[in-house]
Amino acid sequence: LKSARRIFALTPVSPRALCDDAIDAFRAQIVGPESKKHPEQRLELEVDVPDDLPLVSVDREAVVEALLNLLGDDAASLASSA
């Protein structure tokens, strides 16, 4: 088996921008054509990330992907418990 290594491109990014990107991608998933959600199901998401946090040096795509996975996992667990 080959081991795939991901190369991260670190750039300074605001934590708020990372959250906004992940939330935008999540919203696109739950309202997009591939969504399996029924129209009567609603999901409210409250975001509280201060705008004045210092920049973080991260791979933006990797962090947004990780946040998106967390949002998806939480939404799936909420749906299964309803």
Side-chain angles (χ1 to χ4, degrees):
L1 292 172
K2 286 188 177 181
S3 174
R5 293 190 133 199
R6 187 170 184 173
I7 298 173
F8 296 103
L10 304 181
T11 57
V13 184
S14 81
R16 178 64 192 216
L18 292 168
C19 292
D20 289 344
D21 287 354
I23 291 165
D24 289 346
F26 180 68
R27 284 190 178 126
Q29 279 185 357
I30 63 172
V31 298
E34 67 279 357
S35 173
K36 294 180 175 69
K37 294 190 78 58
H38 298 286
E40 66 274 6
Q41 293 178 322
R42 285 192 51 100
L43 179 65
E44 276 191 47
L45 179 63
E46 184 176 327
V47 181
D48 186 15
V49 181
D51 292 324
D52 60 349
L53 291 174
L55 299 179
V56 292
S57 186
V58 297
D59 182 299
R60 185 180 197 133
E61 184 178 313
V63 172
V64 169
E65 182 181 319
L67 292 172
L68 184 56
N69 286 339
L70 290 170
L71 288 168
D73 291 347
D74 283 349
S77 69
L78 288 172
S80 67
S81 67

